[in-house]
Amino acid sequence: MSISEKTIATVADMAGRYEAGFVTDIETDKAPKGLSEDIVRFISAKKDEPEWMLEWRLKAYRRWLEMPEPEWAKVEFPPIDYQDAYYYAAPKSAGEGPKSLDEVDPKLLETYEKLGIPLREQEILAGVQDRSPVAVDVVFDSVSVATTFKEKLKEAGVIFCSISEAIKEHPELVKKYMGSVVPPGDNKHACLNSAVFTDGSFVYIPPGVRCPMELSTYFRINELNTGQFERTLIIADKGSYVSYLEGCTAPMRDENQLHAAVVELIAHDDAEIKYSTVQNWYPGDFETGKGGVYNFVTKRALCEGRNSKVSWTQVETGSAITWKYPSCILKGDNSQGEFYSVAITNGRQQADTGTKMIHIGKNTKSRIVSKGISAGHSNSTYRGLVKILPKAEGARNFTQCDSLLIGDQCGAHTVPYIESRNKSANLEHEATTSKISEDQLFYCMQRGISEEEALALIVNGFAREVMQHLPMEFAVEAQKLVGISLEGSVG
Amino acid sequence: MPKDEAWKYTNLGRTLPANLVLADQPQEVVIHKNRGEVCEQPEDILFTGIDGQHSQPRLKIVLEQGAQATIIERHEGEGAYWKNMVTEIELGRGAHLHHIRIQNDAPEAVHTNMVSFKVARDALYNGFSLNSGAKLSRHEIHAVIDGQNAEISFNGVNLLAGEQHGDTTILIEHQAPHSRSNQFYRSLLDDKARGVFQGKVHVHQKAQKTDAYQLSNALLLSPEAEMDTKPELEIYADDVKCSHGATTGQLDEQPLFYLRQRGLNEAQARFLLIQSFVDEVVDKIVDEKIRDQILKETEKWLHVALKI
């Protein structure tokens, strides 16, 4: 079934409708443009950090100056001018950091309401909003502006706060774990983050505690020419469980914005962490590819203890460029790592994403399910590593990578590395690439479903295996997002 | 494929024998079949390595339109040498080539082979490669399919033991519509052997209706063996059927149990299962005589490796 000119026109109209693309007009406090040791000192001073933190940052900064840009990914972009961006921007009203919700600038509350993020605890608890309670840490440009349900979590012994707060309140935990999974010198982007990170979330779940509600962080870049460098650190102590969600959006800007985050997860004996991301950064202009966020993120989990488990679920629909490989180091015996991913690219987007599963302990298991959907002029790549070290007796891996192509101007690529050094390890990998079946489309349209809707329906079906691993609230949102992201692609 | 990426797992410099002398006579074999020439009898070519020499043999196979041939390429030698070979294959319209390669170089030798392909419309290539020799071997294939409806198959068995290192790197570029490609490799790795399989299928935008399949299975027979696999797909056309699979592991317990239940001892049962694992690829050879010959070779290797 060929696509009529008319459909292409309608679709072009609809395309580029990025719903989160508005700008909040709010006064901000910014660091001078550019990057230098002074800026690092400036950020540290702004955050009122202890001396050891500043030293850590400076060490990372000096290292960063010497590190080469990672060039192995299948993405293309002009060299980044690190001096042409702001490394710190905070709404003026945020002042000394988040206090109680009543003190948060109404303009900010409005912004989040528009994005559909519930911040008003009372309303949620009173059942005004029809959702189950989720505790949210809200990061606006460089600072955390609010964290909800802190008191309720405290009762359970859970620490959930911004990382700046954790550096001051819980230095022993931060000192012990920060950089233990992703060392500052891991790669250039992680190193930059270590030097200039401004905020992010910190979670500590004490032994034996099942976190009473979903925790989440909502990142938003608002300011022009600003990079966002957040750092998340989640520690699940023995026998604990936590589910954590992350969401991101940014306004439509003609300039590229850099987002270089670091996420570190540590799971001790019998602990489980479930980490879900719905990434919807501004993808750039649909036709020309101008603007958009460079999403260069280093995410890694350490399954330190026996029987620990980490599961990454991601729905990647935004960003001009995605460079992201949430990984698991399976160190504890019987530990498990999971990676479920849906990456949708459209327009001129480029995504190079996947995972690394490093099996160190005995009987470690990993499972990778990756679904890539490319449309328009975009390119999407799955790049993954499964590595079995000699001591990983009885390790097991299953990998499945499926790609779907919509239109003949896009590309889908699969680059798995499978390295086994233990004979008792069992590794399976399979991948397929195909296009949307014409029969399926025809069937839907025959029943009165429009071409666009049919496409969204089929793609959602294709991605179902991953979507069902998302927490309920997120799954609904993600499904809608799939439909929106595919506007303008037509099969 | 960027150079450093393609050589990620193989370090040639570290393995090359010292003080090699460049062979004074370049060995060159050209096989040319004219239009419509059908050769029933397989042609046998032998490349011998000589101790202390660095040789650069060349093999060129040209089949004109409609020609058909079966070629057996054998590699043997004695002592420590480096055989750095270049193979060029050109298939005209509708030509058929069956190409069997038996690489059984000396245990101290280094064998590198760069194969380039040009395949025209309706042509068929059926290749089989048995790699069991050399301290380090690398079989690199770069095939370009620029004719419609062409079909190429690369099948192979890697039998590696001791400290052998065997690398198979394949890049297939589909540049024309309606073409097919197959890759089917199985590796047995004993002792401290290390196997590498990197296969890449690149489907260009105009190569609609491509059908590409790739499978690599490896059995690790010893705790110190290693297998590195990188099956890659790079696809720019939407109406295609491309898939790949890769497995690494040891023998399944269940078939082993089944055979033992039927009175075979463990060694016999293992032998049978491993033999059938390898034979499945060997069966892809069309010529019966050659197939039997290869089956004998693999059986011999298995007897030594499994000590039965």
Side-chain angles (χ1 to χ4, degrees):
Chain A
M1 171 174 30
S2 68
I3 311 134
S4 72
E5 287 298 317
K6 200 180 144 231
T7 340
I8 293 176
T10 342
V11 153
D13 273 357
M14 288 164 75
R17 241 185 26 193
Y18 177 68
E19 292 189 345
F22 61 89
V23 179
T24 308
D25 184 19
I26 197 162
E27 265 193 280
T28 50
D29 188 5
K30 270 199 257 184
K33 209 176 203 176
L35 183 58
S36 64
E37 268 194 28
D38 289 341
I39 293 291
V40 177
R41 283 178 204 280
F42 175 92
I43 292 168
S44 189
K46 269 278 168 203
K47 301 259 154 202
D48 200 12
E49 283 174 355
E51 191 59 30
W52 61 267
M53 198 67 242
L54 176 64
E55 278 309 309
W56 202 77
R57 285 174 180 275
L58 286 173
K59 224 170 119 189
Y61 174 73
R62 286 171 202 140
R63 181 108 192 243
W64 175 80
L65 288 173
E66 288 158 15
M67 282 184 90
E69 292 266 348
E71 274 167 353
W72 37 263
K74 205 180 156 50
V75 292
E76 273 170 34
F77 56 95
I80 301 170
D81 183 359
Y82 290 98
Q83 298 305 336
D84 192 35
Y86 294 99
Y87 289 83
Y88 181 85
K92 270 212 171 115
S93 50
E96 292 294 293
K99 290 173 211 112
S100 83
L101 270 175
D102 310 335
E103 292 169 46
V104 173
D105 193 320
K107 261 191 190 157
L108 285 175
L109 288 181
E110 216 176 277
T111 304
Y112 288 97
E113 218 141 90
K114 241 168 141 178
L115 293 168
I117 314 300
L119 288 183
R120 297 174 197 276
E121 291 177 31
Q122 296 85 348
E123 284 179 21
I124 301 163
L125 289 176
V128 176
Q129 292 196 20
D130 190 20
R131 302 179 100 144
S132 57
V134 176
V136 192
D137 181 25
V138 179
V139 179
F140 192 83
D141 287 331
S142 303
V143 292
S144 163
V145 291
T147 311
T148 61
F149 291 107
K150 260 172 128 171
E151 291 307 312
K152 190 149 188 270
L153 288 167
K154 216 175 194 174
E155 280 170 34
V158 173
I159 304 172
F160 178 43
C161 60
S162 71
I163 198 110
S164 322
E165 216 176 320
I167 292 169
K168 282 182 234 165
E169 311 282 329
H170 310 281
E172 69 298 339
L173 286 173
V174 177
K175 252 189 197 170
K176 184 171 169 195
Y177 292 108
M178 190 187 269
S180 67
V181 187
V182 181
D186 191 76
N187 64 69
K188 191 161 180 115
H189 305 311
C191 195
L192 177 63
N193 175 289
S194 305
V196 301
F197 75 90
T198 44
D199 225 325
S201 305
F202 175 84
V203 178
Y204 173 79
I205 316 287
V209 171
R210 195 181 163 89
C211 189
M213 60 178 85
E214 309 259 354
L215 303 183
S216 92
T217 303
Y218 196 89
F219 297 103
R220 178 151 179 96
I221 305 179
N222 186 59
E223 208 45 46
L224 187 68
N225 272 335
T226 306
Q228 192 174 51
F229 306 93
E230 90 268 1
R231 216 173 162 101
T232 302
L233 180 57
I234 300 176
I235 303 142
D237 218 323
K238 287 176 187 170
S240 65
Y241 169 86
V242 61
S243 165
Y244 180 90
L245 330 168
E246 177 200 288
C248 350
T249 55
M252 289 153 78
R253 301 269 193 206
D254 279 346
E255 293 77 23
N256 293 106
Q257 285 166 302
L258 179 62
H259 172 256
V262 171
V263 176
E264 294 174 283
L265 313 184
I266 295 121
H268 288 285
D269 289 359
D270 306 302
E272 180 176 348
I273 303 175
K274 190 174 158 65
Y275 194 105
S276 317
T277 309
V278 174
Q279 185 262 102
N280 186 24
W281 294 115
Y282 176 52
D285 187 74
F286 187 80
E287 289 296 330
T288 60
K290 204 169 180 207
V293 172
Y294 290 169
N295 190 30
F296 298 157
V297 178
T298 310
K299 290 184 169 180
R300 197 172 301 151
L302 176 64
C303 289
E304 166 89 64
R306 291 176 63 88
N307 310 325
S308 55
K309 181 176 173 187
V310 168
S311 139
W312 296 101
T313 308
Q314 61 173 22
V315 177
E316 303 278 319
T317 60
S319 295
I321 300 173
T322 303
W323 180 99
K324 182 178 171 188
Y325 315 91
S327 312
C328 294
I329 300 169
L330 302 167
K331 193 173 161 200
D333 292 350
N334 311 329
S335 59
Q336 279 182 50
E338 287 175 353
F339 175 75
Y340 300 99
S341 164
V342 175
I344 302 178
T345 53
N346 200 351
R348 305 269 168 183
Q349 281 176 274
Q350 307 173 57
D352 195 297
T353 182
T355 184
K356 283 184 194 176
M357 294 289 176
I358 318 280
H359 293 253
I360 302 173
K362 290 189 181 70
N363 299 318
T364 44
K365 285 196 190 98
S366 63
R367 187 180 165 84
I368 301 168
V369 179
S370 163
K371 307 271 179 182
I373 299 127
S374 325
H377 287 83
S378 69
N379 269 301
S380 116
T381 306
Y382 166 84
R383 187 182 302 275
L385 168 72
V386 176
K387 190 170 190 155
I388 312 288
L389 292 168
K391 291 209 174 121
E393 288 292 323
R396 181 91 178 81
N397 163 265
F398 173 78
T399 305
Q400 189 187 340
C401 305
D402 295 327
S403 308
L404 198 62
L405 290 158
I406 304 172
D408 57 5
Q409 298 298 316
C410 52
H413 321 297
T414 319
V415 191
Y417 297 78
I418 308 156
E419 302 174 12
S420 175
R421 296 174 63 189
N422 187 301
K423 74 165 189 150
S424 65
N426 213 327
L427 290 88
E428 286 171 70
H429 172 99
E430 56 183 54
T432 62
T433 304
S434 54
K435 72 172 203 163
I436 288 231
S437 134
E438 291 179 1
D439 292 350
Q440 286 175 358
L441 262 184
F442 179 71
Y443 181 87
C444 290
M445 288 175 70
Q446 199 192 28
R447 268 150 187 76
I449 300 171
S450 76
E451 193 169 4
E452 285 278 322
E453 276 175 278
L455 192 72
L457 194 71
I458 295 166
V459 170
N460 265 311
F462 172 76
R464 208 179 78 101
E465 218 180 322
V466 172
M467 297 291 206
Q468 65 192 11
H469 288 276
L470 284 173
M472 244 281 274
E473 297 83 359
F474 255 38
V476 178
E477 211 175 299
Q479 264 180 30
K480 273 193 232 147
L481 206 53
V482 168
I484 295 169
S485 311
L486 286 169
E487 275 169 8
S489 50
V490 179
Chain B
M1 220 176 303
K3 195 85 188 147
D4 49 337
E5 183 76 338
W7 285 86
K8 184 174 189 310
Y9 297 108
T10 301
N11 189 337
L12 183 64
R14 230 174 43 198
T15 334
L16 277 183
N19 307 322
L20 288 178
V21 183
L22 197 64
D24 35 60
Q25 274 201 338
Q27 195 182 4
E28 189 165 356
V29 179
V30 180
I31 293 171
H32 194 116
K33 299 288 172 221
N34 292 325
R35 188 171 168 162
E37 199 180 335
V38 177
C39 313
E40 300 288 346
Q41 205 56 34
E43 275 185 57
D44 228 308
I45 316 157
L46 177 68
F47 293 92
T48 324
I50 298 161
D51 189 29
Q53 272 197 3
H54 168 198
S55 62
Q56 311 252 30
R58 282 170 62 89
L59 171 63
K60 189 167 182 171
I61 304 172
V62 181
L63 262 57
E64 283 184 23
Q65 189 176 335
Q68 290 186 15
T70 302
I71 288 165
I72 309 170
E73 172 191 338
R74 291 176 203 273
H75 290 274
E76 286 166 14
E78 238 169 80
Y81 55 87
W82 178 21
K83 198 187 275 175
N84 185 22
M85 185 160 165
V86 174
T87 308
E88 277 174 85
I89 297 173
E90 256 185 72
L91 299 186
R93 211 168 148 168
H96 286 199
L97 175 64
H98 294 271
H99 182 190
I100 287 98
R101 186 173 159 274
I102 304 169
Q103 190 271 104
N104 193 16
D105 271 309
E108 280 307 306
V110 170
H111 174 109
T112 49
N113 190 354
M114 174 78 204
V115 187
S116 61
F117 261 92
K118 258 181 130 172
V119 184
R121 191 176 171 153
D122 303 322
L124 180 131
Y125 173 84
N126 184 3
F128 177 89
S129 173
L130 174 69
N131 282 305
S132 59
K135 181 168 62 172
L136 180 139
S137 67
R138 183 176 155 100
H139 190 204
E140 185 173 347
I141 298 165
H142 185 167
V144 178
I145 306 181
D146 52 9
Q148 291 194 24
N149 195 35
E151 179 173 344
I152 53 176
S153 306
F154 298 108
N155 305 312
V157 170
N158 295 315
L159 306 173
L160 304 170
E163 291 192 7
Q164 276 182 295
H165 179 115
D167 179 336
T168 304
T169 297
I170 302 175
L171 168 63
I172 299 178
E173 294 197 49
H174 285 268
Q175 292 186 351
H178 296 276
S179 57
R180 295 173 296 282
S181 73
N182 283 299
Q183 296 166 54
F184 183 24
Y185 272 80
R186 284 199 163 160
S187 308
L188 289 182
L189 301 152
D190 200 4
D191 307 324
K192 287 183 179 172
R194 183 170 177 190
V196 177
F197 178 82
Q198 308 184 81
K200 179 170 177 174
V201 177
H202 182 162
V203 180
H204 290 251
Q205 206 246 316
K206 57 182 182 234
Q208 295 291 358
K209 305 273 179 198
T210 289
D211 189 339
Y213 185 67
Q214 182 190 63
L215 180 65
S216 158
N217 304 121
L219 270 186
L220 303 187
L221 303 177
S222 125
E224 283 169 300
E226 173 170 351
M227 180 73 197
D228 302 311
T229 318
K230 188 173 150 228
E232 231 180 299
L233 295 175
E234 184 170 344
I235 293 162
Y236 295 97
D238 64 333
D239 195 2
V240 297
K241 222 174 89 187
C242 295
S243 58
H244 66 211
T247 63
T248 309
Q250 59 183 357
L251 278 184
D252 272 351
E253 287 298 322
Q254 276 185 358
L256 208 60
F257 176 74
Y258 178 89
L259 289 177
R260 298 214 49 199
Q261 204 191 23
R262 264 147 190 79
L264 271 68
N265 68 29
E266 173 145 8
Q268 285 168 330
R270 279 171 61 84
F271 186 89
L272 215 57
L273 286 171
I274 294 172
Q275 192 182 25
S276 69
F277 173 81
V278 172
D279 288 358
E280 227 173 293
V281 189
V282 182
D283 281 345
K284 302 266 177 195
I285 300 172
V286 181
D287 190 301
E288 214 170 313
K289 251 190 174 151
I290 307 168
R291 190 169 60 220
D292 287 345
Q293 213 177 52
I294 303 260
L295 284 176
K296 264 192 210 119
E297 291 272 341
T298 57
E299 203 180 321
K300 208 168 77 195
W301 188 90
L302 282 175
H303 278 297
V304 176
L306 302 174
K307 296 165 195 81
I308 181 170

